[in-house]
Amino acid sequence: MTLSLTLIVAAHVAKLVLVGEQPGDKEDVAGRPFVGPAGTVLTECLREAGVERKDCYLTNAVKHFKYEQRGKRRLHSRPNAGEVQRCAWWLGAELEQIRPDVVVALGATAARTLLGAAVKVTRDRGRPIDIGRGFWLLVTIHPSYLLRIRDRETAARQRRDFVDDLKTAVKLQTRSG
């Protein structure tokens, strides 16, 4: 029921869809995507790119939080190919209902879900791709990557590049609309 209501609302307003990997611990608890630390970074970068988060539809390629229990903490575990494949129909249904102008694949899992195993984030990043489904696809990094970079210069450069990727998505959206 929640998915259906979300899709009905999103179908009328979201021309930009952002697809992540899977919910994290905070997202799993809240029942909403991108509400943890990576979501904070995403929201800041969207603003820098001139986009309001409320104007985007946020989702994940995998719909469940895969984790390893370590004491009281639940630590993220990367979904395997079977888990990604089992959730792909759901993402496809979301995109079919929303009919966005632009889909941004945030990270390798999202990119591979939408494009297959041949896609490489470092090679294909920031390059608009027409996959013949009625929307532009743009591959970029996942905002959680920005949280893991220790070198300040590298982190600043990667953040600027990420914001530029989001600006490219906005330009594509303008071209489509």
Side-chain angles (χ1 to χ4, degrees), residues 86-162:
R86 282 189 294 278
C87 292
W89 71 269
W90 193 334
L91 178 59
E94 288 175 297
L95 296 176
E96 193 172 305
Q97 285 293 311
I98 296 167
R99 299 178 192 234
D101 292 335
V102 181
V103 175
V104 179
L106 300 169
T109 299
R112 287 187 190 118
T113 301
L114 293 161
L115 289 170
V119 67
K120 302 289 183 225
V121 173
T122 53
R123 180 191 67 210
D124 299 316
R125 180 179 183 180
R127 182 176 51 89
I129 303 168
D130 182 355
I131 61 173
R133 291 187 56 196
F135 56 80
W136 287 101
L137 180 67
L138 192 77
V139 175
T140 189
I141 60 170
H142 193 284
S144 66
Y145 170 66
L146 297 173
L147 296 169
R148 296 189 306 270
I149 302 171
R150 296 292 166 228
D151 179 69
R152 291 172 81 174
E153 277 185 41
T154 303
R157 181 176 37 79
Q158 287 292 330
R159 184 181 173 112
R160 281 191 306 271
D161 291 349
F162 182 58

Side-chain angles (χ1 to χ4, degrees), residues 14-119:
K15 295 298 179 187
L16 180 60
V17 171
L18 303 168
V19 181
E21 178 186 75
Q22 70 176 338
D25 183 55
K26 295 204 184 308
E27 289 80 6
D28 186 51
V29 171
R32 293 189 342 259
F34 292 99
V35 296
T40 300
V41 171
L42 177 61
T43 300
E44 293 168 358
C45 291
L46 282 167
R47 274 200 200 112
E48 290 174 39
V51 179
E52 288 298 320
R53 179 183 167 119
K54 67 178 179 54
D55 296 332
C56 302
Y57 182 79
L58 306 173
T59 191
N60 285 298
V62 175
K63 306 303 181 182
H64 66 281
F65 177 44
K66 182 177 180 181
Y67 63 92
E68 179 181 318
Q69 193 75 41
R70 293 242 181 105
K72 292 182 180 183
R73 295 183 56 185
R74 300 187 311 165
L75 300 179
H76 169 271
S77 292
R78 185 177 303 244
N80 63 41
E83 291 163 329
V84 171
Q85 184 179 11
R86 282 189 294 278
C87 292
W89 71 269
W90 193 334
L91 178 59
E94 288 175 297
L95 296 176
E96 193 172 305
Q97 285 293 311
I98 296 167
R99 299 178 192 234
D101 292 335
V102 181
V103 175
V104 179
L106 300 169
T109 299
R112 287 187 190 118
T113 301
L114 293 161
L115 289 170
V119 67

Side-chain angles (χ1 to χ4, degrees), residues 15-16 48-51 101-104 126 128 136-138 163-177:
K15 295 298 179 187
L16 180 60
E48 290 174 39
V51 179
D101 292 335
V102 181
V103 175
V104 179
W136 287 101
L137 180 67
L138 192 77
V163 170
D164 286 346
D165 291 342
L166 295 173
K167 287 178 180 177
T168 298
V170 170
K171 288 176 189 167
L172 288 170
Q173 182 181 338
T174 304
R175 252 199 295 178
S176 297

